[in-house]
Amino acid sequence: MSGTMHDDESAYESKAAAAEAADDIPNNPNTERSIGAVIARRFSRRDILKGSLGVAAATTLFGANALIAGRAEAQALPSANFKELAAGVDERHHIAEGYAADVLFSWGDPIFDDMTAFDPHKLTGEEQARRFGYNNDYVAFFPLGNAGDRGLLCINHEYVNSEVIFPGINRLKRSDFSKITAAHVSVEMAAHGVTVAEIVREDDRWRPVLNGKSNRRITASTPMTFDGPAAGHARMKTSTDPEGLRVLGTLNNCAGGHTPWGTYLTAEENFHGYFSADAPDFVDKLRVAGPSGTGGAEARSYLRNRIPSAWYNWGSYHTRFNVEREPHEPNRFGWIVEIDPSDPTSTPVKHTALGRFSHEGAECLVDKSGRIVLYSGDDARFEYIYRFVSRDRYRESDRAHNMRLLSEGTLSVARYNEDGTLDWLPLVFGEGPLTPENGFHSQADVVIDARIAADLLKATPMDRPEDVQPSPRTGKVYAILTNNDRRTAARTNAANPRPENAFGHIIEMTPPDGDHVAARFTWDMLIACGDPAVAEVGARWNPATTADGWFSSPDNCAFDADGRLWIATDQGTGWLKTGKADGLYAVDTEGSLRGRSRLFFRGPIGAEVCGPCFTPDGETLFLAVQHPGIDGVHAWKPFARPSTFEDPATRWPDFEPDMPPRPSLLVVRRKGGGRIAS
Ligand code: FEO
Ligand code: CA
Ligand code: CA
Ligand code: CA
């Protein structure tokens, strides 16, 4: 989801106390200034922005490997090989010469073989629950058999743009629900979640297998269970689930992960946006203690998590989304959910051991100790990066055992030190400040309020952590920080050194001797994003990066079959500053070209690019194009008004009259066959 949707249109923000809306007072109350901030103040902001710092100072601010030119390290990975695409913005998508990018699924397409073609005028909730969902995001591919030509594709559906899904909505503000009926909400809920779909490759082309026995839609209404420390806790109990063990649905499924035992992980990101209250002053009164306050025992948690933000009016038709009626329901979202794609009757599990926050993703690996290590970013301004280490060890041929690995372990949060080290701080009840005096009475409280626990441990507030991706080849971990326009100079720190960070940056974390369980890693800045030709931006790229190749607001990333890093962007309306549509870029991480980026694909106007996912043979790349025709189209000269169902900025990818733009999953292949970018 784009930056504007995260905060600026939030009813929470508009209703909250004026102090909350102040530009530099984030929701995260951790205002401690780090050593990095001290360093930043030692150099004037002008020096930093103009890139006029000396080598020593710049190294301090950006890490030892940030001075990319001339860095001598063994070339361990080949560069991606393709002719770079020209940057720009128009109604269509574009791919590098010699490649094809074809639609595999679009919003509304049938997932089962007994269905008719999509007609958006006839869409019901029941229909939508059997069709491809909206706003496709993370993608994972699970091979079936050994031939490489058949597999299960799992795709997240993050959120909906109702004014483009439904005829006659035409709303100007997200908080205007006057035309959103129960029938609309039913479609919205069914358009969220996950699609599991079998696909097959014939004659170099992938196509859906509509009678695939694993095909499935998971929605905001699908029954799920909890495990881990919060399962069954009093704060998880509701009127319809007095045991606190069962919940309906998953929400705002952004990025995710896949496990070595063949399951899919979907991350619940901006869950706070789905909850509302009846009282118009509910949020204002959260800060009032005692009987005249609101929120009861959950008030602190609501405030810290911006609950209720009322981006949707599901609470008008389903009382569980109304926090006055069902105060614990928000505690049941914001988790990582494990889904077994091979069994369409399996019940998804929300793993509370992994903590509750706006999870962007959940990529994991088997550490050399045999434990599962999972990394997850909390995507909001000034939030944190987390690591989970399983208590038990992976067993190659014991899937039932492996399916429990995410149920128990240690959750930690990252503190980035100015000397280039980073400490993983365990979030364990009873240790340090995580005690009853600070409102924590069990590990359930710690995981439910992971953000508050991390505040107390003085973790490093980051510039909106998106994907946190370990390289299967080098073991280094890449943390994508998309941007943070509210970071002031006084609140910079070593790992987030730029005030008003409009363009984002990428941090590389290195475990010692490849030990992902270690308490201390080292870290370095790979890239500071933005236009390298504008000194004030303070961008850092390998000088071989062209005017087409630099990017802004990195979001999702993936490694290809050769271990090369690819970055997809989500600028939101920020593309109006860069003049570039969101795209997919190949980035060198090793050798003399470290920090070079090249443009491979760009999406249509108003879309972000999500879910880069390569097949193991390196011949196919899946790309999810999300919210085409939405972001920034009001200021795009050829259109200059908001998109609606009747009048969208683009009708990508169909370009048929009366068909609105459709978020779509693309399949990228090399014309004539072969590995991508080799
Ligand atoms: Fe849903 Fe952080 O992107
Ligand atoms: Ca996004
Ligand atoms: Ca994302
Ligand atoms: Ca990723």
Side-chain angles (χ1 to χ4, degrees):
M1 186 180 280
S2 65
T4 43
M5 287 296 188
H6 279 146
D7 294 280
D8 302 342
E9 295 178 56
S10 156
Y12 194 100
E13 188 136 298
S14 61
K15 286 176 189 166
E20 182 70 17
D23 184 51
D24 58 351
I25 302 176
N27 212 41
N28 178 343
N30 191 345
T31 54
E32 192 206 28
R33 291 179 184 179
S34 69
I35 296 168
V38 176
I39 292 166
R41 284 197 303 280
R42 273 177 50 211
F43 304 100
S44 74
R45 181 164 162 250
R46 169 184 296 235
D47 284 341
I48 296 168
L49 295 182
K50 293 206 165 161
S52 57
L53 292 176
V55 170
T59 301
T60 305
L61 285 170
F62 288 96
N65 291 333
L67 301 176
I68 293 155
R71 181 170 179 267
E73 184 171 296
Q75 174 80 24
L77 295 169
S79 288
N81 181 27
F82 59 88
K83 187 179 171 202
E84 186 168 38
L85 182 66
V89 184
D90 60 42
E91 281 186 64
R92 293 172 182 272
H93 69 270
H94 300 269
I95 184 100
E97 196 178 298
Y99 291 84
D102 303 316
V103 173
L104 183 62
F105 288 105
S106 293
W107 163 57
D109 282 353
I111 301 300
F112 303 96
D113 59 0
D114 60 347
M115 301 175 70
T116 56
F118 181 52
D119 180 348
H121 291 277
K122 294 181 178 162
L123 190 58
T124 62
E126 203 175 333
E127 276 273 305
Q128 177 64 78
R130 304 185 77 232
R131 294 179 179 274
F132 196 71
Y134 207 72
N135 276 345
N136 38 201
D137 201 302
Y138 183 78
V139 182
F141 176 79
F142 298 89
L144 290 174
N146 297 318
D149 287 336
R150 189 172 285 267
L152 294 179
L153 212 51
C154 294
I155 306 112
N156 277 355
H157 301 291
E158 188 183 17
Y159 69 106
V160 293
N161 299 97
S162 305
E163 65 280 13
V164 181
I165 288 185
F166 304 120
I169 299 298
N170 195 29
R171 63 182 176 181
L172 294 176
K173 289 173 71 176
R174 184 155 195 174
S175 57
D176 175 9
F177 301 123
S178 56
K179 295 178 186 165
I180 304 289
T181 64
H184 291 132
V185 168
S186 173
V187 172
E188 290 178 350
M189 291 178 68
H192 280 67
V194 175
T195 293
V196 180
E198 185 174 332
I199 58 171
V200 64
R201 181 167 56 184
E202 292 166 342
D203 303 327
D204 278 347
R205 298 295 194 94
W206 290 95
R207 65 166 179 81
V209 180
L210 292 184
N211 61 356
K213 66 178 176 44
S214 298
N215 292 4
R216 181 180 192 185
R217 274 302 321 284
I218 288 164
T219 72
S221 306
T222 303
M224 312 197 168
T225 60
F226 297 107
D227 76 1
H233 187 270
R235 294 180 65 192
M236 302 291 274
K237 294 176 180 175
T238 65
S239 59
T240 56
D241 175 27
E243 291 181 312
L245 293 172
R246 278 172 289 278
V247 61
L248 294 179
T250 183
L251 294 175
N252 212 259
N253 307 82
C254 190
H258 57 286
T259 66
W261 51 95
T263 59
Y264 182 72
L265 302 175
T266 183
E268 298 183 331
E269 194 188 20
N270 294 298
F271 63 96
H272 56 295
Y274 296 82
F275 296 93
S276 54
D278 293 322
D281 60 349
F282 183 89
V283 170
D284 293 323
K285 290 174 75 177
L286 279 175
R287 285 180 184 75
V288 179
S292 56
T294 64
E298 296 296 332
R300 175 170 82 151
S301 188
Y302 286 173
L303 278 169
R304 185 63 181 81
N305 292 292
R306 290 179 183 261
I307 297 163
S309 275
W311 294 350
Y312 299 90
N313 67 335
W314 296 5
S316 300
Y317 304 104
H318 300 267
T319 53
R320 65 190 178 110
F321 295 107
N322 181 324
V323 297
E324 290 178 273
R325 314 278 184 90
E326 204 64 85
H328 290 159
E329 190 72 2
N331 295 343
R332 294 143 63 86
F333 294 88
W335 304 105
I336 297 296
V337 188
E338 184 172 15
I339 296 165
D340 182 356
S342 66
D343 178 3
T345 67
S346 61
T347 303
V349 180
K350 298 196 179 191
H351 290 299
T352 68
L354 278 54
R356 171 174 166 265
F357 46 87
S358 289
H359 282 280
E360 169 73 21
E363 294 287 10
C364 67
L365 52 81
V366 181
D367 181 66
K368 61 186 183 182
S369 68
R371 293 186 173 86
I372 298 301
V373 178
L374 183 148
Y375 295 95
S376 192
D378 181 354
D379 180 11
R381 296 178 181 94
F382 303 101
E383 294 298 346
Y384 306 122
I385 289 174
Y386 296 80
R387 179 187 74 175
F388 172 82
V389 177
S390 67
R391 183 193 65 183
D392 296 333
R393 290 175 165 80
Y394 175 69
R395 291 184 203 152
E396 178 90 43
S397 55
D398 189 349
R399 194 165 189 252
H401 165 84
N402 296 332
M403 295 279 285
R404 294 190 296 270
L405 287 175
L406 301 180
S407 309
E408 207 161 340
T410 304
L411 182 68
S412 303
V413 64
R415 182 169 62 208
Y416 293 80
N417 303 312
E418 180 269 334
D419 66 357
T421 61
L422 86 90
D423 294 314
W424 290 107
L425 313 170
L427 299 171
V428 177
F429 170 67
E431 291 186 10
L434 306 182
T435 58
E437 298 82 73
N438 289 314
F440 292 94
H441 299 276
S442 65
Q443 186 64 19
D445 283 334
V446 172
V447 293
I448 290 170
D449 284 315
R451 285 175 162 178
I452 298 173
D455 296 342
L456 289 167
L457 292 173
K458 302 205 183 312
T460 303
M462 309 296 288
D463 286 343
R464 289 186 53 203
E466 304 265 13
D467 278 15
V468 183
Q469 192 96 20
S471 161
R473 183 66 64 91
T474 68
K476 295 175 184 173
V477 185
Y478 293 86
I480 312 299
L481 290 314
T482 195
N483 57 55
N484 183 352
D485 57 356
R486 295 189 194 173
R487 190 177 290 281
T488 59
R491 295 203 71 217
T492 54
N493 58 49
N496 302 272
R498 284 194 294 181
E500 292 153 40
N501 183 6
F503 305 107
H505 57 284
I506 299 175
I507 286 176
E508 180 184 75
M509 307 189 282
T510 305
D513 301 320
D515 176 12
H516 287 265
V517 174
R520 175 167 281 193
F521 286 16
T522 56
W523 68 272
D524 201 349
M525 189 80 74
L526 176 67
I527 287 168
C529 307
D531 188 347
V534 179
E536 286 77 9
V537 167
R540 304 272 162 160
W541 298 94
N542 187 294
T545 304
T546 69
D548 293 312
W550 65 266
F551 58 77
S552 165
S553 301
D555 184 340
N556 299 121
C557 68
F559 291 93
D560 66 18
D562 293 311
R564 298 172 300 201
L565 179 62
W566 296 74
I567 303 280
T569 65
D570 174 12
Q571 302 167 98
T573 56
W575 73 262
L576 293 162
K577 286 184 207 162
T578 65
K580 298 179 170 200
D582 281 317
L584 182 73
Y585 300 79
V587 173
D588 290 87
T589 54
E590 305 289 336
S592 61
L593 287 171
R594 175 180 162 87
R596 180 186 67 161
S597 167
R598 297 170 70 235
L599 177 61
F600 181 70
F601 170 90
R602 63 176 160 95
I605 172 74
E608 69 171 281
V609 179
C610 300
C613 170
F614 290 86
T615 51
D617 63 11
E619 294 183 1
T620 303
L621 160 64
F622 300 104
L623 280 178
V625 174
Q626 191 184 95
H627 59 72
I630 301 293
D631 280 348
V633 299
H634 62 284
W636 182 46
K637 282 200 179 118
F639 191 68
R641 55 193 183 274
S643 282
T644 62
F645 179 95
E646 293 80 7
D647 177 32
T650 177
R651 293 185 184 277
W652 186 92
D654 309 284
F655 296 102
E656 286 172 9
D658 212 31
M659 182 62 87
R662 295 200 288 166
S664 298
L665 187 77
L666 302 183
V667 187
V668 174
R669 64 186 166 84
R670 197 167 174 167
K671 289 178 183 167
R675 289 166 80 87
I676 290 168
S678 65

